[in-house]
Amino acid sequence: MEPETLLLPDDGVVPNNPRLPALLWRGALPPGEPEAAEARFAAHGWPPAWRNGIYPYHHYHPNAHEALAIARGQVRVQLGGEQGQVLELQAGDVVALPAGVGHRNLSASADLLVVGAYPAGQEPKEYRAEKRLHDAAIAAIIATPDPPCEPLTGQPWPGL
């Protein structure tokens, strides 16, 4: 199962990742089964970290990669900052975001449930889309170790 790759440019506020694309798999997991997402992520060294939604403001993690599985519902997300790409995601879809990739919830169904995970040992800092954080974020992104693999199938991250 090959993911769609999305290389998002630095917009001067949200740095995104200069080397690694975001990854998108459609219909990759059984809808309504958050345990299936957690088991798949854990099997590839991405221990599940939370179940919730996606924040309604642009934010990113300059020091950690993140996997998001839509377990229930639907969500319209924007990746990459104010001028970034808008995606319509539904239960069963998975997105993997390399360090620095901005994301926000534009709208969602009332039953939205997202499973989130990070590679083992990474503790994400949350940065909001603020110009004053940009340069420090770039340094943190560059210093963040590459993901050991992508979280869904365990294959090498495209571009590495």
Side-chain angles (χ1 to χ4, degrees), residues 4 13 17 29 43 55-56 66 77 97 110 118 135 142 158:
E4 181 179 341
V13 177
N17 193 293
L29 294 170
Y55 294 130
E66 184 173 30
V77 297
L97 306 174
Y118 309 96
D135 292 346
I142 291 168

Side-chain angles (χ1 to χ4, degrees), residues 23-138:
L23 308 177
L24 169 63
W25 294 266
R26 301 256 185 212
L29 294 170
E33 296 182 25
E35 300 83 5
E38 291 168 340
R40 183 74 70 92
F41 292 165
H44 298 118
W46 292 63
W50 52 268
R51 290 184 186 186
N52 204 335
I54 300 171
Y55 294 130
Y57 50 85
H58 288 290
H59 67 285
Y60 59 93
H61 310 290
N63 67 328
H65 311 290
E66 184 173 30
L68 304 172
I70 311 305
R72 282 197 308 263
Q74 315 167 42
V75 62
R76 186 170 187 248
V77 297
Q78 186 170 31
L79 302 182
E82 285 296 330
Q83 304 305 314
Q85 188 164 351
V86 175
L87 301 174
E88 303 284 342
L89 303 176
Q90 61 185 5
D93 293 346
V94 174
V95 178
L97 306 174
V101 171
H103 48 292
R104 84 168 184 173
N105 175 342
L106 297 173
S107 63
S109 61
D111 64 339
L112 178 67
L113 178 63
V114 180
V115 170
Y118 309 96
Q122 291 189 351
E123 295 185 26
K125 292 180 183 177
E126 180 187 311
Y127 281 20
R128 291 192 185 208
E130 297 178 26
K131 184 144 182 71
R132 68 180 181 82
L133 300 173
H134 182 270
D135 292 346
I138 292 288

